[in-house]
Amino acid sequence: FLLFMVRSMQISTHVFMQQTHRIVNEKEVNITEGLEVVASLSSHTLTTIGQRDSSHPRHCKHQLGGQRLVNTDSLHFISRFFPSSDVHTEAVQAALAKHKERKVAVPMPSKRRSLVVQTSMDAYTPPDTSSGSEEEGGQGEGTPTSSQGSIGMEHWISRAIHQGSTTSSSSSSTQSGGSGAAGRLADVLAQTHVGKSGNAPSTSPASTSIPQPVTPTLPAMLLNPASLAFVCCLHLLLLLIVYLCVPVSSRVSAKIQQLVNTLKQPRRPPLREFFVDDFEELLEVQQPDPNQPRPEGSQMVAIRGEPLGVVTNWPPSLEAALQRWGTISPKAPCLTTMDTNGKPLYVLTYGKLWSRSIKVAYNILHKLGTKQEPMVRPGDRVALVFPNNDPAAFMVAFYGCLLAEVVPVPIEVPLTRKDAGSQQIGFLLGSCGVTVALTSDACHKGLPKGPTGEIPQFKGWPKLLWFVTESKHLSKPPRDWFPHIKDANNDTAYIEYKTCKDGSVLGVTVTRIALLTHCQALTQSCGYTEAEIIVNVLDFKKDVGLWHGILTSVMNMMHVISIPYSLMKVNPLSWIQKVCQYKGKVACVKSRDMHWALVAHRDQRDVNLNSLRMLVVADGSNPWSISSCDAFLNVFQSKGLRPEVICPCASSAEALTVAIRRWEDNQPPGRGVLSMQGLSYSVIRVDSEERLSVLTVQDVGTVMPGALMCVVKPEGVPQLCRTDEIGELCVCSIATGMSYYGLSGMTKNTFEVFPMTSSGAPISEYPFTRTGLLGFIGPGGLVFVSGKMDGLMVVSGRRHNADDIVATALAVEPMKFVYRGRIAVFSVTVLHDERIVVVAEQRPDSTEEDSFQWMSRVLQAIDSIHNVGVFCLALVPANTLPKTPLGGIHLSETKQLFLEGSLHPCNVLMCPHTCVTNLPKPRQKQPEIGPASVMVGNLVSGKRIAQASGRDLGQIEDNDQARKFLFLSEVLQWRAQTTPDHVLFTLLSSRGTVLSSLTCLQLHKRAEKIAAMLMERGHLQDGDHVALVYPPGIDLVAAFYGCLYAGCVPITVRPPHPQNIVSRSACVMTSQVISKLLKSKEASAAVDVRSWPLVLDTDDLPKKKPPQLYKPSNPDTLAYLDFSVSTTGMLAGVKMSHTATSAFCRSIKLQCELYPSREVAICLDPYCGLGFVLWCLCSRIQFINITTINEEEKGDIFLYNESRGLDLSRVRTCVVVAEERPRIALTQSFSKLFKDLGLHPRAVSTSFGCRVNLAICLQGTSGPDPTTVYVDMRALRHDRVRLVERGSPHSLPLMESGKILPGVRIIIANPETKGPLGDSHLGEIWVHCTHNGSGYFTVYGDEALQSDHFNSHLSFGDTQTVWARTGYLGFLRRTELTDASGERHDALYVVGALDEAMELRGMRYHPIDIETSVIRTHKSIMECAVFPWTNLLVVVVELEGSEQEALDLVPLVTNAVLEEHYLIVGVVVVVDIGVIPINSRGEKQRMHLRDGFLADQLDPIYVAYNM
């Protein structure tokens, strides 16, 4: 009755779920969450399901709170609801189900429509039809579970999620603002932060052993399907309500708010205590977790394999075996090759192999070079370059080399000059001294040819003689010539190349005795006998394919059926067909071959594998190989495949075959369920009760015959591991490699290892060889491999294997998103720790949303299963990753492309906030010391007060007639009388021709007419403001003095934007052309014409003079307003009095020695700052000729070439004017560029001015050269100055900002306390001088708001002097140089503006420093600007180049800022050239850029939101 009730409730529940699914789909509502609830409820029984079937492949499983529910009815219900499947995928899907309320709360990246990759569907081949094996080991290709007939739980859930993907993830946005459903994710996140909410598993190591509370009624629910159905319905209803009520936002600011909400979560692992040294920040040192598992077993004992049997008829060498079979059984088949149609192409018999090998040996020794100087002698190295579809030619050449006692170096065919890894192969050939390359006729014809038909020298390769080994090209050896066949000795037999983790290629030398012993060991282990047929799918040039298919087969006179890679691509079942056709006894395959055979097996019916006694799985150590083995057995067991036939093996280039499962053993394969948490600490914990995932591994057999094996610690002294500890397998045997060719140091560390006990005593007098495999030796001497040293990634002190990460990523969406399972996982070192990078090829039909959803799910799965964060996840188009010769991913080349920014991904997701947990502690500002304890006379804290001044302006120009005139208008009248014909201005075109000029008298008369027009037509009063809207030129100067003659206050305005300041102007003066422009329809669209003040055209002036010229009653009255937009985007006018104006001109005259004969060339805007002063003011006082350049045509000013006869040797001073820190790189580049034209490097200098004082420093013509110092950037962030040597780490060059002007006093003050600081201390620059501005004038009536800028007093010391605050940080340093007065020179160094400095993590960062680091990262970054937004750092880069390079910049920018500034970039924006706004002085308008970004006005190529 109970079973009947259970069954009926199952049916009703199933029907209800189907109806709910249909209804919800009709409403277009996502029910993914409901399905995930079901999956999470079922995850309680996953452990029990996995334990019930011991034949499950290596997999990850979840356990909830250590509970075991073994009620059979509940198991029956679950198994009916979710049929059995690959448990690794089950675990991943269960992990994702746990994230049902923990969606990734990061907005989807914004991508320009043109950047969306549109890949041709022709490039896409469905996996079930293409069948080609594209992997060569390393990274796997899919999981075999996807091909099984039953619909598993992972398929059920994945299908539902796939159907609901359009609403469950952020919608794809092709504009800068679209975030789709990202707002919903943020709302969900507000209740459930990742990893920290509800019953979500805590990932801090200290809490992993504490079981989470489980709802008391949960077991009852599992026992009662009706209750389960009710809970499912309830969850679905709640989720539908939540879904329908969540608002949607598409603003960029909303996206940033989501990102901020995400970043409010506590990071993992939690931050521990930090400490900050006095002058430098120290990164957090990873402290060992006190709760981490530790090895507790006894010290292991080395395991010895069975004795290598002594057989009387074994040949003394491999050449002797070839001679025996070639003479005794010349017609016995040795090798059969296949064409791409699967038909036999050629059968090589032992007789032909013997005769042709002799022929090759003779020609190598006697037909290359001359008799006196042969090119190849016995012992020399030669390269074997043969394609993968011609094993017969390779076999003949290989044995020809052995007979000639020449050392063959098999390598891959270089198809192009830029093959992945080809350059490193060339380095190996060069180090081996290779001068001859043996190849086949077809291969030789296919090699790239130069214009003359010769094979070019490949990059990094030595010069080679290409020698074709076909018989028709060879000479017959004389009848009396015969190769000398010796017994196997310690001479090198061949060199096998090995690619390391970093991409370098090493040559492993194998001696003749090792070669023979290895063949004997394989023969004994595999039970090989004469005339057996072996089917080989592997690469015959190296590894298992070479050892079994070329060497051991000849020793035993076996018949090899070689399946080329090209045939496997067309027909993945070909190897199974050949086993059936030839009644093959042995097959050598990789797991990918088994997987693709599974995919295609439904097309093949007449399969019988009864003849197969041994299926050698070459990559038995990979996590997905075990899944392939079990799935393959599951399908083909009904077709004659016996379980004991599958024999995984472990091997490495250094140790050859390490272990192989024996085919005759009747004992079941060994399996171990290990804790993934324990494995990350190199500890074996079998089936522990931890909440994290576990890993099932199976054995790879026992130790090889005649070998001794032990396990040692991977790093440091080779000490024996404990029995429950993971380490590196080491082998002591004759049958291993001997050395890395030419590398004695590395050879000693790998091939000459002496393992030691804990007491320090070696366990053997014979050396061991490191295999590069990580694992342990289990009960019964079974060898278990858990990973490879090359794939090991140590993140925050925990070890993770790249293969395990690949397996987890593949299990998220098997075969649905990743193209042919092509995923690369590697680590990059950022900020002194390894960071995991995942790169995958996406299928051509994938959408933007598919990509983002898959990435989000992969992050969740890896985080849950492995408890580690992914630093970067990149997706590339299909078939674009660099490949190995057999189609696998070339890992080191992929990593290199990633690091240099040449990977060209189509989607990138960076997660630095999650991964980087070793940042320095945020700065805590210390309370300041009271004034009484620091001030003693002119000393502050034991140092001289940082103050300096220029020469005294009052002691000069005593005889100067101009000193009696206080006003500029008086000076001009005096000049017009005394020197009327002196030319004041010369305006030049870009070609150097004179456009117009102006004398003193002409300027005076023109100014009089303008003053008359202002009085008559404008009816203006004294003090009225007049906007001067002119292009740069003489009209502007005349209008300025016309205003002074009329008593008006002139305001120079740039023509394009007159609406900025004219609201307070009583009149606008301009030229006729601009006057028409202001009244045009286009202008009226922006500004109402009726709101304009009076507009006067000065092109038509009255002829009469004004009745009298205005003379100010008080020299402190307003002379003019200097309006400017600061770099922070603030528009304000500075009031300049007549006194300040006159003092300003006199100060510059003295500093620059401006005499009447002096000529000054100006390429500056005449509207504000120092540019306006030099244009309009200085010429009146100094009586000099100002040569200006027409602003309209100045584009090519610096493009004159030497043919024009340009000579810059007369230039005494070239001053770069800017309101910022001097850009050393720019000035140095400028000096270098024009050095050949006579410009002296000493002539180039900078000035420093700001809003309160337009010119504080100007180099001038006398005084010492500007000095450069190097300061520590890390100390600068803490507002300290620490001088370091040039080239020191974190050093920043600062150039002196010119010499302090006469009449200027400077002091460095603390911006918070307003107290004076000592020499070489960083503080705000305060200035006291006559030509300071009087105050701000703004159009908003808040002039008093910044009055403190112009009238400040020190809090202690000299409290009477009135100072103006520049708003710039800097420091003074007394140098050893002397100035003109003979005293030591005080140099002022400007660091940056206070308004632009960013307070991040309690430290002060200057944008220019971060921007300099970013620009250096990639050649395509032309300009960069950074700004903060809600505690996030936003980096905007301008891209020069293809839009496809945009996504390459995201990881590079993030890494550079992390490494150099210890900051995490929140948002990376890639834009076109010219988007970053620049003002007329060349300074970046960062706040304008920020406003444009937040208002979605930038039209970015790509916006990446780093998680």
Short mmCIF file of all heavy atoms in Angstrom, two decimals, residues 366-387:
data_model
loop_
_atom_site.label_atom_id
_atom_site.label_comp_id
_atom_site.label_asym_id
_atom_site.label_seq_id
_atom_site.Cartn_x
_atom_site.Cartn_y
_atom_site.Cartn_z
N HIS A 366 77.09 8.60 -44.99
CA HIS A 366 78.05 8.67 -46.09
C HIS A 366 77.66 9.58 -47.22
O HIS A 366 78.49 9.85 -48.10
CB HIS A 366 78.29 7.26 -46.66
CG HIS A 366 78.90 6.32 -45.67
ND1 HIS A 366 78.14 5.51 -44.85
CD2 HIS A 366 80.20 6.07 -45.36
CE1 HIS A 366 78.94 4.79 -44.08
NE2 HIS A 366 80.21 5.11 -44.37
N LYS A 367 76.43 10.08 -47.27
CA LYS A 367 76.01 10.89 -48.40
C LYS A 367 75.73 12.35 -48.03
O LYS A 367 75.29 13.12 -48.87
CB LYS A 367 74.75 10.29 -49.03
CG LYS A 367 74.97 8.92 -49.67
CD LYS A 367 76.01 8.99 -50.78
CE LYS A 367 76.28 7.63 -51.39
NZ LYS A 367 77.30 7.70 -52.48
N LEU A 368 76.00 12.71 -46.81
CA LEU A 368 75.85 14.10 -46.38
C LEU A 368 77.23 14.66 -46.12
O LEU A 368 77.99 14.11 -45.33
CB LEU A 368 74.97 14.20 -45.11
CG LEU A 368 73.51 13.75 -45.28
CD1 LEU A 368 72.79 13.82 -43.95
CD2 LEU A 368 72.80 14.62 -46.31
N GLY A 369 77.58 15.74 -46.80
CA GLY A 369 78.92 16.29 -46.68
C GLY A 369 79.88 15.56 -47.59
O GLY A 369 79.51 14.98 -48.62
N THR A 370 81.15 15.55 -47.22
CA THR A 370 82.19 14.85 -48.01
C THR A 370 82.75 13.70 -47.20
O THR A 370 82.46 13.54 -46.02
CB THR A 370 83.31 15.84 -48.36
OG1 THR A 370 83.94 16.31 -47.14
CG2 THR A 370 82.77 17.05 -49.12
N LYS A 371 83.56 12.90 -47.86
CA LYS A 371 84.16 11.76 -47.16
C LYS A 371 85.08 12.25 -46.05
O LYS A 371 85.16 11.64 -44.99
CB LYS A 371 84.94 10.89 -48.15
CG LYS A 371 84.06 10.09 -49.09
CD LYS A 371 84.89 9.15 -49.95
CE LYS A 371 84.00 8.30 -50.86
NZ LYS A 371 84.78 7.36 -51.69
N GLN A 372 85.79 13.34 -46.34
CA GLN A 372 86.70 13.85 -45.32
C GLN A 372 85.94 14.59 -44.20
O GLN A 372 86.31 14.54 -43.04
CB GLN A 372 87.73 14.81 -45.95
CG GLN A 372 88.74 14.13 -46.84
CD GLN A 372 88.15 13.75 -48.20
OE1 GLN A 372 87.14 14.30 -48.61
NE2 GLN A 372 88.79 12.79 -48.87
N GLU A 373 84.87 15.30 -44.60
CA GLU A 373 84.11 16.08 -43.62
C GLU A 373 82.63 15.73 -43.71
O GLU A 373 81.82 16.47 -44.27
CB GLU A 373 84.30 17.59 -43.89
CG GLU A 373 85.67 18.12 -43.53
CD GLU A 373 85.91 18.07 -42.03
OE1 GLU A 373 84.93 18.18 -41.27
OE2 GLU A 373 87.07 17.92 -41.63
N PRO A 374 82.23 14.57 -43.19
CA PRO A 374 80.79 14.24 -43.21
C PRO A 374 80.00 15.17 -42.28
O PRO A 374 80.52 15.61 -41.25
CB PRO A 374 80.76 12.80 -42.70
CG PRO A 374 82.01 12.64 -41.90
CD PRO A 374 83.04 13.53 -42.54
N MET A 375 78.76 15.47 -42.70
CA MET A 375 77.93 16.37 -41.89
C MET A 375 77.44 15.70 -40.62
O MET A 375 77.25 16.36 -39.60
CB MET A 375 76.72 16.84 -42.71
CG MET A 375 77.04 17.87 -43.77
SD MET A 375 75.54 18.58 -44.47
CE MET A 375 74.88 19.44 -43.06
N VAL A 376 77.22 14.39 -40.69
CA VAL A 376 76.67 13.67 -39.53
C VAL A 376 77.60 12.54 -39.17
O VAL A 376 77.98 11.72 -40.02
CB VAL A 376 75.26 13.12 -39.85
CG1 VAL A 376 74.70 12.37 -38.65
CG2 VAL A 376 74.31 14.24 -40.26
N ARG A 377 77.98 12.51 -37.92
CA ARG A 377 78.81 11.43 -37.40
C ARG A 377 78.01 10.68 -36.33
O ARG A 377 77.03 11.21 -35.80
CB ARG A 377 80.10 11.97 -36.79
CG ARG A 377 80.96 12.79 -37.75
CD ARG A 377 82.12 13.42 -36.99
NE ARG A 377 82.91 14.32 -37.83
CZ ARG A 377 83.95 13.92 -38.56
NH1 ARG A 377 84.33 12.66 -38.53
NH2 ARG A 377 84.61 14.80 -39.30
N PRO A 378 78.42 9.45 -35.99
CA PRO A 378 77.74 8.73 -34.90
C PRO A 378 77.74 9.57 -33.62
O PRO A 378 78.76 10.14 -33.23
CB PRO A 378 78.55 7.45 -34.75
CG PRO A 378 79.12 7.22 -36.12
CD PRO A 378 79.42 8.59 -36.67
N GLY A 379 76.58 9.66 -32.97
CA GLY A 379 76.44 10.46 -31.76
C GLY A 379 75.86 11.83 -32.00
O GLY A 379 75.42 12.50 -31.06
N ASP A 380 75.86 12.29 -33.29
CA ASP A 380 75.26 13.58 -33.59
C ASP A 380 73.74 13.50 -33.50
O ASP A 380 73.15 12.42 -33.58
CB ASP A 380 75.67 14.05 -34.99
CG ASP A 380 77.14 14.48 -35.03
OD1 ASP A 380 77.75 14.57 -33.94
OD2 ASP A 380 77.65 14.69 -36.13
N ARG A 381 73.11 14.68 -33.36
CA ARG A 381 71.66 14.74 -33.28
C ARG A 381 71.09 15.20 -34.63
O ARG A 381 71.63 16.11 -35.26
CB ARG A 381 71.19 15.73 -32.20
CG ARG A 381 71.14 15.18 -30.79
CD ARG A 381 72.48 15.01 -30.14
NE ARG A 381 73.29 16.24 -30.21
CZ ARG A 381 74.60 16.26 -30.08
NH1 ARG A 381 75.28 15.14 -29.87
NH2 ARG A 381 75.26 17.39 -30.16
N VAL A 382 70.00 14.54 -35.05
CA VAL A 382 69.29 14.95 -36.25
C VAL A 382 67.81 15.06 -35.90
O VAL A 382 67.30 14.34 -35.03
CB VAL A 382 69.48 13.96 -37.42
CG1 VAL A 382 70.93 13.88 -37.82
CG2 VAL A 382 68.96 12.58 -37.06
N ALA A 383 67.11 15.98 -36.60
CA ALA A 383 65.68 16.18 -36.35
C ALA A 383 64.87 15.27 -37.27
O ALA A 383 65.23 15.07 -38.43
CB ALA A 383 65.31 17.64 -36.60
N LEU A 384 63.79 14.72 -36.74
CA LEU A 384 62.84 13.94 -37.54
C LEU A 384 61.57 14.78 -37.66
O LEU A 384 60.89 15.02 -36.65
CB LEU A 384 62.53 12.60 -36.88
CG LEU A 384 63.70 11.63 -36.62
CD1 LEU A 384 63.17 10.26 -36.23
CD2 LEU A 384 64.58 11.51 -37.85
N VAL A 385 61.27 15.21 -38.89
CA VAL A 385 60.12 16.07 -39.13
C VAL A 385 59.17 15.33 -40.06
O VAL A 385 59.36 15.31 -41.28
CB VAL A 385 60.55 17.42 -39.75
CG1 VAL A 385 59.36 18.36 -39.86
CG2 VAL A 385 61.66 18.06 -38.92
N PHE A 386 58.17 14.68 -39.46
CA PHE A 386 57.24 13.88 -40.25
C PHE A 386 55.81 14.21 -39.82
O PHE A 386 55.55 14.45 -38.63
CB PHE A 386 57.50 12.38 -40.03
CG PHE A 386 58.79 11.92 -40.64
CD1 PHE A 386 59.97 11.94 -39.92
CD2 PHE A 386 58.82 11.47 -41.95
CE1 PHE A 386 61.17 11.54 -40.48
CE2 PHE A 386 60.02 11.06 -42.52
CZ PHE A 386 61.18 11.08 -41.80
N PRO A 387 54.87 14.23 -40.76
CA PRO A 387 53.47 14.52 -40.42
C PRO A 387 52.83 13.37 -39.66
O PRO A 387 53.33 12.25 -39.65
CB PRO A 387 52.81 14.74 -41.79
CG PRO A 387 53.64 13.94 -42.74
CD PRO A 387 55.05 13.99 -42.21
#
